[in-house]
């Protein structure tokens, strides 16, 4: 749609630009170049990340909403491979390292849900924004170190395109006592 609009504006400009001049007009074409010099999904497999069919939402919401070139991903928790979740408060029941590993599990869940939405993870232009919520003991203040598990995974998968704006905040509680919940916004192309 955007390309069509830009092309239409360009054609109007060309038709209005019938004067003598020294500059040239470039043709606007859709960008079909590859975003990566590697296959993102092969990289995910190399990293030992197994993409699975995302679980259906636990309430009256959807896993993702796409509007234009942005995909808004619902918050996900740290699903264990054997079922269930990593639970407990970081700084009380879990160490920072265990919270970091829980955040990596959330990255796996978000990548799975994103693939279900867009079909091919090579379409990811940028991880734009991440909101990481950590189930924290009252005196715990290392939420950024925990959410780094998620951020490091996104950068490992997408390179510089995985670098994002982020908030890492502590919560008094999270649903079902999960250790972390993370949502993200992703820019994609068709």
């Amino acid at each position: 749609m955007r390309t069509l609009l830009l092309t239409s504006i360009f054609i109007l400009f060309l038709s209005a630009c019938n004067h003598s001049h020294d500059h040239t007009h470039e043709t606007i074409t859709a960008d079909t170049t590859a975003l990566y010099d590697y296959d993102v999904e092969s990289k995910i497999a190399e990293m030992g990340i197994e993409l699975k069919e995302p679980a259906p939402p636990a309430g009256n919401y959807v896993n993702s909403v796409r509007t234009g070139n942005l995909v808004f991903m619902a918050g996900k928790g740290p699903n264990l491979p054997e079922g269930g979740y990593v639970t407990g408060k970081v700084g009380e029941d879990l160490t920072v390292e265990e919270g970091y590993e829980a955040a990596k599990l959330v990255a796996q869940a978000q990548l799975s849900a994103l693939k279900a939405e867009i079909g091919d993870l090579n379409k990811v232009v940028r991880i734009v924004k991440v909101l990481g919520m950590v189930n924290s003991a009252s005196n715990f203040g290392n939420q950024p170190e925990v959410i780094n598990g998620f951020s490091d995974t996104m950068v490992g998968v997408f390179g510089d395109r995985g670098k994002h704006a982020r908030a890492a905040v502590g919560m008094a509680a999270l649903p079902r006592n999960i250790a972390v919940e993370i949502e993200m916004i992703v820019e994609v192309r068709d």
Side-chain angles (χ1 to χ4, degrees):
M1 181 73 174
R2 183 174 161 223
T3 302
L4 179 62
L5 177 62
L6 289 173
T7 303
S8 298
I9 292 169
F10 181 69
I11 291 169
L12 286 173
F13 174 76
L14 279 180
S15 63
C17 188
N18 57 9
H19 61 274
S20 174
H21 54 306
D22 293 331
H23 67 273
T24 59
H25 300 280
E26 295 181 23
T27 304
I28 298 172
T29 58
D31 183 12
T32 58
T33 59
L35 290 170
Y36 302 94
D37 60 358
Y38 60 92
D39 180 67
V40 169
E41 295 188 22
S42 295
K43 177 74 170 176
I44 289 169
E46 288 172 21
M47 292 174 65
I49 299 170
E50 184 182 342
L51 300 181
K52 301 177 180 178
E53 186 68 29
N60 191 14
Y61 65 94
V62 294
N63 282 323
S64 58
V65 171
R66 183 170 179 176
T67 179
N69 287 345
L70 294 177
V71 180
F72 294 77
M73 304 298 297
K76 295 279 180 213
N79 297 80
L80 290 165
E82 63 273 10
Y85 293 97
V86 177
T87 59
K89 290 189 176 294
V90 181
E92 185 176 295
D93 307 312
L94 302 168
T95 66
V96 170
E97 293 76 19
E98 290 169 323
Y100 179 95
E101 292 300 318
K104 286 174 64 175
L105 289 172
V106 179
Q108 177 178 338
Q110 284 289 24
L111 289 169
S112 295
L114 181 59
K115 180 172 173 56
E117 174 66 30
I118 66 172
D120 180 359
L121 293 175
N122 288 291
K123 294 179 181 179
V124 171
V125 173
R126 184 82 190 239
I127 305 299
V128 177
K129 176 77 168 83
V130 169
L131 170 59
M133 298 162 277
V134 180
N135 189 355
S136 301
S138 61
N139 62 347
F140 183 74
N142 292 61
Q143 291 83 5
E145 287 80 359
V146 171
I147 301 303
N148 281 345
F150 185 91
S151 296
D152 291 348
T153 302
M154 292 299 126
V155 173
V157 169
F158 298 109
D160 283 344
R161 294 176 185 279
K163 292 181 179 177
H164 48 268
R166 183 183 87 178
V169 297
M171 299 291 182
L174 287 173
R176 293 171 184 76
N177 199 34
I178 58 176
V180 294
E181 181 174 352
I182 303 172
E183 57 184 52
M184 68 177 178
I185 301 170
V186 181
E187 181 184 1
V188 298
R189 73 176 186 186
D190 294 328

